[in-house]
Amino acid sequence: MTSRERASLEIDGIVQGVGFRPFVYRLALRFGLSGWVRNTGKGVQIEAEGEGDDLLLFSHALREEAPPLAVIGSLKFEKIAPAGGEGFVILDSAKAGKGGEIAPDCDVCDDCLAELFDPGNRRYLYPFINCTNCGPRYSIIKGIPYDRPATTMAGFAMCDDCLAEYHDPLNRRFHAQPNACPVCGPRLNLVDRDGAAVAGDPLGQALAALCEGRVVAVKGVGGYHLAVDACSEAAVGLLRRRKKRDEKPFAMLAADLDSVRRFVHCSELEARLLSGVERPIVLMRKLPQTPVAELVAPGNCWFGFMLPGNPLQHLLARGFGGPLVMTSGNLSDEPIAYRDDEALAMLSGIADLFLTNDREIHTRTDDSVIRLYRGEPLFLRRSRGYVPRALALPGEQTSVLALGAELKATLCLTRGAQGFLSQHIGDLKNAATMTSLEDSAGHLQRLLEITPEVIAHDLHPDYLSTVYGQGLGLPCVAVQHHHAHMASCMAENGLDGEAIGVILDGTGYGSDGTIWGGEFLVGGYQGFERRGHFAQLRMPGGDAAVKEPYRMALSALYQVHGAELFSQPLAVCEQVQVSDRPLFLKMLEKGINAPLTSSCGRLFDAVSALLSVRDRISYEGQAAIELEALAETGSASEPYPYLVAGEAGCVLDFGPAIAAICADLAAGRGRADIARTFHRTVAAGIVDVCGRIRTASGLGRVVLSGGVFQNRLLTEDVAGQLAAGDFNVYCHRLVPPNDGGVALGQAVIAARIFRE
């Protein structure tokens, strides 16, 4: 005769809204256990009673066989006194304790997809099909515990068939909070730009409009997309004109991997990323001579593709038959539209029709974007599908609300040793985006039950986020932008202590009041020293120099040729009319409306314009992106010359390289080879300075961060040469190297400073 034992198990992580309780129920039946399971404010609590060996097997299976969307953070197992009783039940949710996690939105599971296209199934072609293993989560949740009344599905009363599924522990829709069907659930609607209903089947009419070359706004899980036929130059051109987006690449939607491979080189890892439940946009190299319209990604070697991320996208992609442009439904510099009235008002000048529905989106979430770097995924934008998954911090810390950067803003909330980055919010240059940031901050605090003790914000005193943070009535820590980049990379790699930080980007407010962007820092979370930087260049015209790279090219030439600048036989010199040249020279000589910057991004702009790649840009980073694309087609020679000067710190001066580039142009050398050699030169200079800093400091760890490290060519050069020089090199994987990852670094720095 064997004795019965009872155990209490507490599980946290992403264990609500992912079918975890019915999974526990089925496991308990398998092992012959009695007891109960329930959701709490923190996670899931279980009491199970049975034979001792069965309890241990049950505990092991909880980890090994967890539902596909579940992520177990911790599992506490404790023996308690037996209580007897028969059967295993699922109890109502309990608000006991804080610290739960919420699952991200995810794609349709295989079971639901099979039902979606099964003519004999009652959910055949139903665009809101879901179960506990798939469907909307973060975008529809209003509060916790995650139960239907706390979601935007609260207004849809389930029919008898759906209720039977919902209450059946052996059904995969048991306690699936968005559960619905055509009888009782949300429905599609098609309206014109005036909001008037369009007669006929909404999906069929929308597909017909797309085939006619019209623009259709499509309501997805996290907001509206704008869709057109990706193979029609006329349709894509129409979208560009209406959206006022001249050249920035559009993302595309394809039905399946076979379709994607018709247009791009798709590796096994890229295919896995595309097919994952998160459904990010993945950047992949174009195949030559594809039928995709040139206007989709002009002057670019890469296409961004995603596979369907919700049932409606599956229906659209299969129904249309070819690739669709599927770009964020917003105006320039504003967040993606997600409320129906807002979308109609914002997008009526762009879209001809609106394919919408009556299920509310509570939280807007734009698409995530990934590319491969050194065979590993690299986030360019971490948003839908990944938020609000927790990131591990280097250790337990005070709860911080970090407000991120001005561009590509995200928030970060911390709890214990976890950091929660928000979805992509956008550029904080207008009231609409700032309101989105404030709404996201409040929603995440309520959802995760985190009350921050400290606010972290950028050092720049005039950013909208700085003003907002200082008005919250909590202790504030101002964090220098590049220090935050460095800490972000250190934190996601679990580093503590000190390291060398190579931080390269376009713009950041420096501790000395100048514009930084090509920085060599030494330090850790508590503080840093600026041990080196790129030689400063003037930005003639101030912010105009960001949008007109020819200005940076002329500034770089002035460093070499001085007042003889315009006598050089270079095409870029023709950008300034003869009558305006004296004033332009005066700006450079006197520094009038020409602030100094050490920005690596501006250096890349200068070389792009020198090589006649891009004199003016229509989106951020365009000049550098197209310079990288050109360099990928060239061959590098020995690096161009450069100088390293300075006593207090290393100043990396690429003036000699600029002179050598001009000489190569005069000699007729190919622009692609010059661009490739320039990349190699910047990498060589960075490695040189890191070596000098290691000699002085003894540090052999280097972290690489900042938006310039989205440049695959440069990053692989730098990381490869540093590794060959016996440095330990750390790059980003879990958060973007651009400003979308800054909030994580701010949060860790602020907590350390506050503690000290």
Side-chain angles (χ1 to χ4, degrees):
M1 181 175 178
T2 58
S3 61
R4 291 176 64 83
E5 296 180 346
R6 191 175 184 90
S8 171
L9 299 94
E10 293 183 4
I11 305 172
D12 65 18
I14 300 176
V15 288
Q16 293 191 19
V18 293
F20 203 86
R21 288 176 298 167
F23 157 70
V24 172
Y25 178 90
R26 290 190 291 271
L27 273 189
L29 294 184
R30 187 206 302 176
F31 291 108
L33 306 178
S34 62
W36 51 263
V37 59
R38 67 180 177 184
N39 280 347
T40 69
K42 187 176 181 181
V44 167
Q45 184 180 8
I46 304 168
E47 285 194 12
E49 187 167 329
E51 305 299 332
D53 289 346
D54 290 333
L55 279 176
L56 291 176
L57 291 170
F58 171 73
S59 175
H60 180 74
L62 286 172
R63 282 193 180 277
E64 296 300 315
E65 302 176 29
L69 299 186
V71 178
I72 293 178
S74 68
L75 190 157
K76 297 179 181 177
F77 181 98
E78 180 184 0
K79 293 285 186 66
I80 58 176
E86 297 293 330
F88 197 92
V89 296
I90 297 174
L91 301 180
D92 291 337
S93 301
K95 287 276 285 187
K98 297 181 179 180
E101 293 183 38
I102 300 299
D105 302 305
C106 72
D107 179 38
V108 188
C109 69
D110 290 343
D111 290 331
C112 284
L113 196 61
E115 292 176 352
L116 181 65
F117 291 102
D118 177 4
N121 191 276
R122 71 188 189 93
R123 291 187 176 88
Y124 176 56
L125 302 184
Y126 182 57
F128 305 96
I129 191 170
N130 68 87
C131 70
T132 54
N133 295 325
C134 67
R137 296 295 188 271
Y138 179 57
S139 62
I140 66 169
I141 295 171
K142 293 183 174 181
I144 57 171
Y146 172 56
D147 291 322
R148 193 173 179 106
T151 74
T152 60
M153 289 295 295
F156 297 94
M158 282 183 275
C159 66
D160 290 344
D161 288 336
C162 286
L163 275 173
E165 296 168 333
Y166 185 83
H167 290 299
D168 179 2
L170 298 180
N171 192 292
R172 77 173 197 282
R173 292 189 170 92
F174 177 69
H175 281 217
Q177 305 308 339
N179 189 33
C181 75
V183 173
C184 63
R187 299 185 181 185
L188 283 183
N189 303 297
L190 187 68
V191 300
D192 63 21
R193 58 179 53 175
D194 295 320
V198 176
D201 169 51
L203 179 63
Q205 294 289 80
L207 287 168
L210 289 167
C211 291
E212 293 166 4
R214 301 168 79 186
V215 180
V216 178
V218 180
K219 184 178 180 181
V221 169
Y224 277 79
H225 288 91
L226 292 165
V228 295
D229 180 356
C231 293
S232 168
E233 292 284 355
V236 180
L238 177 66
L239 177 58
R240 285 206 177 276
R241 289 192 300 276
R242 289 181 178 178
K243 193 169 164 49
K244 296 181 173 60
R245 182 164 158 177
D246 295 336
E247 295 169 300
K248 188 176 182 180
F250 287 136
M252 289 180 284
L253 173 73
D256 49 41
L257 285 174
D258 287 341
S259 299
V260 169
R261 289 187 170 115
R262 291 176 53 206
F263 312 108
V264 293
H265 296 279
C266 181
S267 69
E268 181 180 345
L269 178 54
E270 287 164 335
R272 284 172 50 204
L273 288 168
L274 283 166
S275 304
V277 296
E278 301 87 355
R279 288 299 199 255
I281 297 168
V282 180
L283 301 189
M284 294 163 288
R285 189 176 297 281
K286 291 180 181 179
L287 287 173
Q289 299 177 335
T290 74
V292 170
E294 174 63 26
L295 283 174
V296 168
N300 201 297
C301 298
W302 305 81
F303 278 146
F305 267 102
M306 60 180 170
L307 295 182
N310 59 65
L312 179 56
Q313 288 185 349
H314 279 280
L315 294 170
L316 283 169
R318 290 201 192 185
F320 188 73
L324 286 167
V325 164
M326 194 66 68
T327 189
S328 300
N330 62 349
L331 300 178
S332 180
D333 297 328
E334 293 197 3
I336 185 173
Y338 73 113
R339 294 192 176 103
D340 299 335
D341 55 349
E342 167 193 73
L344 200 62
M346 182 188 297
L347 305 176
S348 60
I350 304 174
D352 297 297
L353 296 172
F354 291 75
L355 185 58
T356 183
N357 63 73
D358 54 354
R359 183 177 69 197
E360 177 192 352
I361 299 170
H362 186 69
T363 302
R364 71 175 114 215
T365 49
D366 217 332
D367 300 313
S368 296
V369 184
I370 294 177
R371 77 181 296 182
L372 290 192
Y373 151 70
R374 300 178 79 189
E376 299 287 351
L378 176 70
F379 279 104
L380 305 186
R381 185 164 73 199
R382 183 181 183 272
S383 196
R384 181 185 52 78
Y386 300 92
V387 172
R389 287 182 187 168
L391 299 167
L393 302 178
E396 297 272 336
Q397 67 169 59
T398 299
S399 289
V400 177
L401 169 60
L403 301 176
E406 184 182 45
L407 302 181
K408 299 180 176 65
T410 59
L411 300 164
C412 185
L413 270 169
T414 69
R415 178 179 63 208
Q418 293 179 312
F420 299 89
L421 271 178
S422 75
Q423 69 277 20
H424 169 79
I425 294 170
D427 296 349
L428 300 179
K429 293 185 178 238
N430 55 60
T433 316
M434 192 61 224
T435 298
S436 180
L437 179 137
E438 294 172 13
D439 291 346
S440 296
H443 181 57
L444 277 173
Q445 288 175 64
R446 291 188 297 272
L447 204 60
L448 299 170
E449 295 186 294
I450 297 174
T451 302
E453 300 174 55
V454 185
I455 303 297
H457 60 76
D458 194 272
L459 183 64
H460 199 297
D462 298 328
Y463 282 173
L464 294 176
S465 55
T466 299
V467 176
Y468 167 67
Q470 291 175 343
L472 292 175
L474 291 172
C476 289
V477 177
V479 182
Q480 199 279 324
H481 183 84
H482 300 92
H483 186 202
H485 268 303
M486 177 180 178
S488 174
C489 192
M490 290 179 65
E492 77 157 87
N493 283 285
L495 303 183
D496 220 322
E498 292 197 333
I500 300 169
V502 181
I503 316 300
L504 308 180
D505 63 6
T507 301
Y509 186 74
S511 303
D512 59 0
T514 65
I515 302 169
W516 291 8
E519 309 305 314
F520 298 88
L521 310 182
V522 167
Y525 304 120
Q526 286 89 341
F528 73 95
E529 294 180 42
R530 190 189 193 197
R531 292 288 183 89
H533 58 83
F534 283 22
Q536 292 179 314
L537 293 172
R538 293 277 178 198
M539 293 176 62
D543 287 345
V546 178
K547 297 183 178 180
E548 298 178 339
Y550 78 84
R551 294 173 179 265
M552 292 309 305
L554 295 174
S555 179
L557 289 171
Y558 179 78
Q559 295 289 87
V560 177
H561 300 289
E564 301 300 313
L565 159 63
F566 288 107
S567 65
Q568 305 308 307
L570 294 164
V572 72
C573 295
E574 303 304 317
Q575 294 291 329
V576 180
Q577 295 181 5
V578 173
S579 59
D580 293 333
R581 291 177 183 179
L583 179 60
F584 201 95
L585 280 172
K586 194 170 184 179
M587 275 198 299
L588 292 170
E589 291 167 357
K590 305 292 186 183
I592 301 169
N593 192 26
L596 289 167
T597 181
S598 58
S599 167
C600 179
R602 300 291 79 80
L603 176 68
F604 271 75
D605 286 353
V607 174
S608 182
L610 272 178
L611 299 185
S612 300
V613 173
R614 179 60 57 177
D615 295 321
R616 292 167 175 79
I617 65 169
S618 61
Y619 63 89
E620 184 197 4
Q622 183 179 12
I625 289 169
E626 294 182 4
L627 181 66
E628 177 191 5
L630 176 64
E632 287 186 332
T633 66
S635 301
S637 62
E638 287 298 310
Y640 290 124
Y642 59 84
L643 295 173
V644 180
E647 295 181 3
C650 298
V651 178
L652 181 54
D653 185 355
F654 290 103
I658 297 296
I661 287 172
C662 292
D664 272 356
L665 283 171
R669 187 181 182 195
R671 294 185 310 137
D673 291 347
I674 295 173
R676 183 65 186 89
T677 304
F678 168 70
H679 279 72
R680 179 65 53 84
T681 304
V682 175
I686 290 167
V687 174
D688 187 346
V689 173
C690 286
R692 295 169 189 246
I693 294 174
R694 176 169 62 182
T695 299
S697 67
L699 293 170
R701 302 191 302 183
V702 179
V703 296
L704 307 178
S705 190
V708 171
F709 283 115
Q710 294 174 134
N711 182 315
R712 185 189 62 82
L713 206 57
L714 178 69
T715 308
E716 291 184 350
D717 264 2
V718 171
Q721 291 184 45
L722 284 170
D726 292 326
F727 283 95
N728 294 316
V729 186
Y730 299 91
C731 301
H732 286 280
R733 286 241 357 239
L734 304 178
V735 301
N738 60 41
D739 286 0
V742 160
L744 175 63
Q746 288 177 340
V748 180
I749 290 169
R752 294 296 179 97
I753 291 175
F754 185 73
R755 185 183 71 186
E756 294 300 323

